[in-house]
Amino acid sequence: MTATHPSFTPRQERWLLLTLAAINFTHIVDFMLMMPLGPQFTALFHISDAEFGLLVSAYTLAAGVSGLAATTYIDRFERKTLLLRLYAAFALATLACGLAPSYATLMAARILAGLFGGVLGALVQTIVGDAIPFERRGRAMSVVMASFSLAAVVGVPASLWLANAASWHAPFFAIAGLSAAVCLAGARSLPRLDGHLGAALGKSATSALRAVLREPNHWRAFGLSMLVMSAGFSIIPYVTLYSTQNLGVLPGQVPLIYLAGGMSTLFTVRLWGTMTDRWGKVPTFRLIAAGSMLPMLALTHLPAVPLWGLILVSSLFFVFVSGRMVPSMAILTSATQPHMRGTFMSLNAAMQSLAMGAAAFVGGLLIHRDPAGRLVGYGWAGWLSVALTLIALVWVSRVRMNAPAAVA
């Protein structure tokens, strides 16, 4: 069964994707910003690495809970209205992060940000699935996923500059202000999307959730999604801590790591999108995922090297680890029927968030500090990521896509 998609002009489709990418950009910067600020937070609040990992996990775990809650309502509302209301709430939660005076209040604000940010990601992906035909979905997803690269190229370095120039509060104020501006722009540029509503009429709030949960293919897709996210987030939250404590990177040099990695992924994300549509979603996923394993091990076992060596390895890591998301999200948005896509993607976002939070927490348990303050055990997190990636390479063939076999 193939979906009937709304008809947009190329200009309308371009503005739709750019607006969705801008929404993605702001909530991704908000999430990514916590990780390079790790050294500041551990010193300022006198917390351990595990407590910092919990601060990162709080966002993802809250996003998981809100994703589960969203499965009862997301397909019962028009997409644009729901997206903008959740986005406005996210902007307020981010503002609360900037106003937080202590570890406890920051934790509470991060939980609020996660409650709204987690649903935003699912809704953005749902709209791409609703609005863009299967045969162009890889390229469309690459435009939206380019926001990850822009977040690393522009968002994180600019936020760190603000944090160094003013205080750690300043980046959250900036993100909240930018989110408010994008929300106003989205009210003008986003089209009304309500083609899915007919199938929800007369059904209970939980009927769509039950329908999603009854489908075995959905569970196979959730398994793939959780494997992909876990493989990355057992490593990613601790890149900055490892770089500064073990490799001698100065705090002022940290933005260069994210800038170089983001620039690299910005150039390659469109390539991954084109390959996904041209070569097939499963073969492309396997190629990129297999390519990610060597950088995973290299980054987590890296000895003291010049800064350019770290930048080279970390850039390859970001290129391949983020690159897996383009074909995997194209696969996931095609693993369900249009009338239940919002519920499916919300539940998938919950699964992803729980996997990310658990992986970040497990990664924190695997590492500890030696008497000199260096991180020990980071290599085990790398091996865990490789093991999860190997399972994903096999698992991906189990997911069935609702599209003609010729283009799958």
Side-chain angles (χ1 to χ4, degrees):
M1 175 179 177
T2 56
T4 300
H5 298 272
S7 178
F8 298 129
T9 65
R11 183 175 182 274
Q12 289 173 322
E13 184 174 304
R14 182 164 58 252
W15 276 109
L16 168 69
L17 294 175
L18 289 176
T19 303
L20 294 177
I23 292 172
N24 245 9
F25 170 81
T26 49
H27 86 79
I28 290 167
V29 172
D30 173 78
F31 172 67
M32 290 180 65
L33 177 61
M34 294 298 297
M35 290 173 277
L37 287 177
Q40 292 191 37
F41 285 135
T42 53
L44 177 66
F45 296 130
H46 306 290
I47 57 176
S48 66
D49 295 329
E51 287 174 313
F52 170 68
L54 185 60
L55 190 61
V56 174
S57 299
Y59 181 102
T60 57
L61 295 174
V65 171
S66 69
L68 288 174
T71 61
T72 63
Y73 66 79
I74 195 168
D75 281 327
R76 304 174 68 82
F77 292 91
E78 189 271 324
R79 307 285 195 211
K80 173 183 176 178
T81 302
L82 182 59
L83 177 68
L84 293 180
R85 288 180 179 177
L86 288 170
Y87 191 41
F90 163 79
L92 291 174
T94 302
L95 178 62
C97 292
L99 294 171
S102 65
Y103 176 75
T105 53
L106 180 59
M107 176 74 75
R110 293 309 295 162
I111 291 172
L112 283 176
L115 287 173
F116 299 111
V119 182
L120 279 178
L123 198 48
V124 165
Q125 294 157 6
T126 298
I127 291 173
V128 173
D130 284 350
I132 309 299
F134 181 88
E135 61 272 12
R136 296 204 308 276
R137 202 168 293 158
R139 292 182 182 88
M141 197 62 72
S142 72
V143 173
V144 174
M145 299 303 289
S147 55
F148 283 91
S149 305
L150 282 174
V153 171
V154 178
V156 173
S159 297
L160 291 176
W161 180 83
L162 277 175
N164 291 329
S167 72
W168 68 265
H169 303 272
F172 293 104
F173 294 147
I175 296 167
L178 180 58
S179 298
V182 173
C183 191
L184 292 174
R188 296 176 58 87
S189 63
L190 288 174
R192 181 177 175 84
L193 291 166
D194 56 8
H196 62 288
L197 291 177
L201 293 177
K203 295 184 178 180
S204 69
T206 58
S207 59
L209 176 59
R210 290 197 300 269
V212 169
L213 293 176
R214 281 197 300 265
E215 171 54 54
N217 188 57
H218 292 165
W219 286 102
R220 293 191 289 269
F222 295 148
L224 174 65
S225 184
M226 294 178 75
L227 285 167
V228 169
M229 301 310 294
S230 297
F233 274 82
S234 57
I235 295 176
I236 292 172
Y238 307 100
V239 170
T240 301
L241 286 173
Y242 186 75
S243 300
T244 54
Q245 300 301 316
N246 290 47
L247 305 182
V249 174
L250 301 175
Q253 296 173 323
V254 170
L256 295 176
I257 299 172
Y258 289 88
L259 177 63
M263 286 293 293
S264 302
T265 57
L266 193 60
F267 286 113
T268 55
V269 68
R270 296 300 298 273
L271 171 64
W272 302 142
T274 300
M275 289 171 56
T276 296
D277 289 335
R278 185 174 298 171
W279 292 3
K281 294 164 178 56
V282 172
T284 303
F285 172 80
R286 282 179 166 156
L287 176 66
I288 301 173
S292 71
M293 290 189 289
L294 183 59
M296 285 175 179
L297 291 176
L299 183 61
T300 55
H301 290 81
L302 201 64
V305 295
L307 181 62
W308 65 264
L310 170 61
I311 288 175
L312 175 62
V313 172
S314 61
S315 295
L316 287 172
F317 173 82
F318 287 123
V319 162
F320 284 95
V321 169
S322 66
R324 304 167 309 159
M325 296 299 296
V326 174
S328 67
M329 292 313 303
I331 291 169
L332 290 168
T333 56
S334 306
T336 188
Q337 300 296 337
H339 68 275
M340 62 176 74
R341 184 175 283 127
T343 302
F344 169 81
M345 293 306 295
S346 294
L347 192 54
N348 175 69
M351 300 288 188
Q352 284 185 331
S353 297
L354 291 172
M356 289 160 58
F361 183 69
V362 171
L365 294 178
L366 290 173
I367 64 176
H368 62 277
R369 301 286 185 107
D370 64 13
R374 294 164 55 88
L375 265 65
V376 178
Y378 195 38
W380 287 111
W383 283 111
L384 174 61
S385 295
V386 168
L388 293 169
T389 301
L390 287 171
I391 297 172
L393 289 173
V394 177
W395 189 270
V396 66
S397 62
R398 298 169 57 86
V399 181
R400 186 184 70 255
M401 288 177 280
N402 293 301
V407 293

